[in-house]
Amino acid sequence: MPKNILFIMCDQLRYDYLSCYGHRTLQTPNIDMLAEQGVRFSNAYVPSPLCGPCRMSVYTGRYPRSHGSYWNSAPLRVGELNIGDHLNPLGMRTVLCGKTHMVGDLDGMKRLGIDPESAAGERISQAGFECWDRLDGTYPARGHKRASHYFEYLNAKGYSGDNPWHDHANSAEGADGAIKSGWFIENNDLPARIKEEDSETPYTTSRGIEFIKQNSGNSWCLHLSYIKPHWPYIVPEPYASMFGPEDVPPAVRSNAERERASPVLKAFQETRASTFFARDKLREKAIPAYMGLIKQIDDQLGRVYAALKETGQWDETLIVFTSDHGDYLGDHWMGDKDFFHDVSVKVPLIVFDPSRNADAARGTVCTQLVEAIDLLPTFVEYAGGTVTRDVLEGHSLMAILHGVQKEPLRDYAISEFDFSERKVRVDLDLPVDKCRLVMVFDGRYKAVFNIAGLPPVLFDLQDDPDELVDIAAQSGAEAVLEKLRAYMWEWAMQHHAAGTVPAAMRAQRVDNEHEAGVLIGYWDEQDVIDTGAAHPLS
């Protein structure tokens, strides 16, 4: 029987905005059902709290410092092995339906003589996916990027304009018929001026179902990648009216947290998005729409499950549900996602393995530290391949899914962020090459180090689970910082460049120069014979 992988990723979905992760009013029964039949991970961390670098890490199984795509617009190097390179040789087709944030390395392809319009160039430019339907979503009104199919779909449905995504799916309508853009928070509590079934999430779902139904009997990995609940925070009815200010949790923050913030954190608290979400009235405008977008995704997943069961593919499909990062939504006096509190860098991760081997762990919660770069190694093992750490820096989760993993996969989780393209760099008066932040989390203590020599940040999540008190300057903290700093250096000193010779082969090539006639350190021919080595000159 063929094996399939349904890889579902949301954009900017907080882990705690799902009922199976404890949200008090937002019910997500379809996602909860996946957790009941699979494994829910309670400590899953992304390698970067920014869309592009995180996604490139997921598609390569490697950290941003390894693959080089540090920002949303930074191309993934042409030579990086991607999800298609790993899964296609195992007989598994890799297909995109939705968002990737992938930018092709046009300069690299030009240098190597690869035509970007060729089949090889297209696969490189799409991170190894066949483009079934690409919809990255965040297109400005006069932007140069377009969806692969969605604009034409909307125009054919009667939605007018050069950018129907913005004018209909992500805008409301005023009493006078004027377009009220969803980019503006004042409009976030209004319904989008589009039929619900034509909005982004149902559209992407329908296109994904088309693929599923057309490919029964084949082995595939479908990346069903939703662009929501990422801003603009606007949703059509009936979801626009499902939640109100009474459903908005109070912001997790304190005055002391802002007054005593480290220079780096304080700079992020003063960005435009952060100052907006520091105002409760604006949170009450945006967050009900954010919740409606999540509820819409959960409802659409019911359609996906039905399609898998209808086509007889449910029992042969590994299903992964996750997000590329979270959203501050006003917590810690911040908006967007540009730091390392759990609401930003910890994500929901649920994996359903249909095989009997997974019965022992079904419905369990795994508290181990796992990272998003563990997904591709998991896919490789599930597809029947061999996971090698020469290229893949993550760990397969299959042993956890089967309930046989006895030891922790790792002692610490790493996340990194290059903020050189944020105004924060200018506010801190830093050069471009001094803008790298690295988070190290050992399951209790979380430190954020920076290359610029600014004070580190340290939280104790055992005593302070809401991460409100930076204890880096407190007595006794230096010993903890030294431990986490040692972890960071251990990670940094690892071989992050993809080795061209596998470790297993290197292990067999110990002092074997004599086989090629390179005789260094021998006295005479008898000396060679005495070592038991073959004599290449005889």
Side-chain angles (χ1 to χ4, degrees):
M1 294 290 291
K3 286 187 173 182
N4 306 325
I5 299 171
L6 177 59
F7 175 25
I8 305 165
M9 178 176 275
C10 298
D11 195 346
Q12 206 147 318
L13 170 63
R14 279 175 57 143
Y15 76 93
D16 56 350
Y17 269 65
L18 301 172
S19 48
C20 59
Y21 280 89
H23 198 280
R24 61 182 179 85
T25 59
L26 178 53
Q27 297 301 306
T28 50
N30 286 308
I31 297 170
D32 293 359
M33 183 273 288
L34 204 65
E36 291 165 2
Q37 297 195 23
V39 175
R40 179 170 67 84
F41 293 83
S42 61
N43 282 298
Y45 287 83
V46 291
S48 177
L50 190 64
C51 306
C54 174
R55 289 169 180 268
M56 297 311 105
S57 289
V58 171
Y59 303 151
T60 62
R62 292 162 58 71
Y63 293 103
R65 76 157 41 211
S66 303
H67 60 64
S69 182
Y70 70 96
W71 196 253
N72 286 343
S73 58
L76 183 65
R77 281 192 294 259
V78 67
E80 288 291 331
L81 296 178
N82 56 46
I83 188 169
D85 294 319
H86 287 285
L87 295 183
N88 296 161
L90 300 174
M92 184 169 282
R93 186 178 174 190
T94 48
V95 178
L96 166 69
C97 185
K99 178 174 182 174
T100 66
H101 243 306
M102 173 67 185
V103 175
D105 183 2
L106 298 180
D107 289 340
M109 284 188 275
K110 180 179 179 181
R111 186 176 68 252
L112 297 173
I114 300 173
D115 181 359
E117 302 299 323
S118 67
E122 281 288 321
R123 293 296 290 269
I124 292 171
S125 297
Q126 299 293 346
F129 292 107
E130 297 176 44
C131 183
W132 181 261
D133 195 308
R134 181 165 174 172
L135 178 55
D136 278 7
T138 52
Y139 306 101
R142 291 177 296 280
H144 64 281
K145 296 196 297 184
R146 292 178 66 88
S148 64
H149 296 76
Y150 189 48
F151 281 27
E152 289 72 18
Y153 169 86
L154 290 177
N155 286 156
K157 286 282 189 175
Y159 300 100
S160 60
D162 293 335
N163 192 338
W165 173 83
H166 172 266
D167 294 348
H168 299 277
N170 278 274
S171 290
E173 189 169 303
D176 58 356
I179 295 174
K180 300 175 75 67
S181 175
W183 288 103
F184 300 121
I185 296 176
E186 68 171 348
N187 301 325
N188 287 170
D189 59 347
L190 301 175
R193 59 193 299 261
I194 193 172
K195 292 181 180 178
E196 191 272 333
E197 62 266 27
D198 294 329
S199 59
E200 306 103 310
T201 296
Y203 168 80
T204 296
T205 302
S206 295
R207 291 287 285 146
I209 289 173
E210 287 177 25
F211 175 83
I212 289 170
K213 289 186 174 181
Q214 291 179 24
N215 287 276
S216 178
N218 299 317
S219 184
W220 48 259
C221 172
L222 174 63
H223 187 26
L224 186 62
S225 186
Y226 293 109
I227 66 175
K228 295 297 182 179
H230 190 287
W231 37 258
Y233 307 108
I234 190 167
V235 64
E237 293 289 11
Y239 299 96
S241 301
M242 280 189 181
F243 305 99
E246 68 279 3
D247 297 300
V248 176
V252 177
R253 60 195 183 199
S254 70
N255 289 328
E257 178 185 27
R258 180 164 57 175
E259 293 163 0
R260 301 170 187 168
S262 69
V264 173
L265 181 54
K266 184 173 180 61
F268 280 109
Q269 289 174 341
E270 293 176 352
T271 63
R272 177 175 292 276
S274 293
T275 57
F276 266 60
F277 274 93
R279 298 158 62 182
D280 286 337
K281 289 298 182 184
L282 299 188
R283 295 181 74 248
E284 292 172 1
K285 284 270 191 179
I287 293 178
Y290 180 82
M291 295 171 67
L293 290 165
I294 296 168
K295 183 64 175 177
Q296 185 185 38
I297 290 170
D298 186 76
D299 286 346
Q300 290 299 311
L301 289 183
R303 296 179 57 209
V304 177
Y305 300 164
L308 287 170
K309 293 174 181 178
E310 176 188 333
T311 57
Q313 297 180 85
W314 177 266
D315 291 332
E316 58 196 41
T317 303
L318 182 82
I319 303 177
V320 174
F321 177 86
T322 191
S323 177
D324 58 356
H325 53 74
D327 193 326
Y328 274 98
L329 297 175
D331 287 359
H332 309 290
W333 305 99
M334 291 181 66
D336 216 12
K337 63 265 185 174
D338 291 354
F339 207 67
F340 300 98
H341 296 87
D342 272 3
V343 294
S344 174
V345 79
K346 186 164 88 168
V347 292
L349 176 60
I350 302 168
V351 185
F352 163 71
D353 179 350
S355 72
R356 290 183 178 178
N357 291 335
D359 288 349
R362 223 170 281 290
T364 61
V365 177
C366 176
T367 60
Q368 281 202 42
L369 287 174
V370 300
E371 297 181 353
I373 60 170
D374 297 335
L375 292 179
L376 185 51
T378 304
F379 297 167
V380 169
E381 183 174 352
Y382 179 77
T386 300
V387 177
T388 169
R389 297 295 301 281
D390 294 287
V391 176
L392 295 170
E393 296 185 296
H395 303 269
S396 171
L397 303 176
M398 291 304 299
I400 293 177
L401 300 179
H402 294 171
V404 297
Q405 182 72 36
K406 303 303 181 183
E407 299 297 326
L409 291 180
R410 53 176 52 84
D411 295 323
Y412 53 90
I414 293 284
S415 188
E416 51 183 329
F417 183 42
D418 184 323
F419 61 91
S420 57
E421 296 193 29
R422 286 283 194 238
K423 185 176 177 291
V424 167
R425 174 183 66 81
V426 179
D427 295 340
L428 291 171
D429 192 26
L430 294 175
V432 168
D433 61 352
K434 297 293 185 182
C435 295
R436 184 176 295 276
L437 301 174
V438 177
M439 178 208 83
V440 186
F441 178 50
D442 69 358
R444 174 177 178 176
Y445 293 104
K446 180 190 293 183
V448 180
F449 300 106
N450 64 86
I451 194 173
L454 297 170
V457 175
L458 180 63
F459 297 113
D460 180 351
L461 275 75
Q462 177 175 291
D463 293 342
D464 176 29
D466 290 331
E467 301 174 280
L468 294 173
V469 182
D470 179 1
I471 63 171
Q474 293 184 9
S475 175
E478 188 54 39
V480 176
L481 287 168
E482 278 304 308
K483 175 186 175 184
L484 298 181
R485 194 176 284 114
Y487 282 153
M488 179 181 68
W489 282 115
E490 177 185 68
W491 167 77
M493 291 295 289
Q494 292 173 8
H495 200 344
H496 288 278
T500 56
V501 179
M505 185 178 295
R506 296 202 302 271
Q508 297 173 5
R509 291 165 58 168
V510 176
D511 289 339
N512 65 341
E513 297 94 338
H514 63 274
E515 296 178 2
V518 180
L519 303 176
I520 300 174
Y522 294 94
W523 174 256
D524 57 14
E525 292 187 13
Q526 186 60 45
D527 200 7
V528 177
I529 296 172
D530 291 344
T531 64
H535 192 341
L537 300 181
S538 59

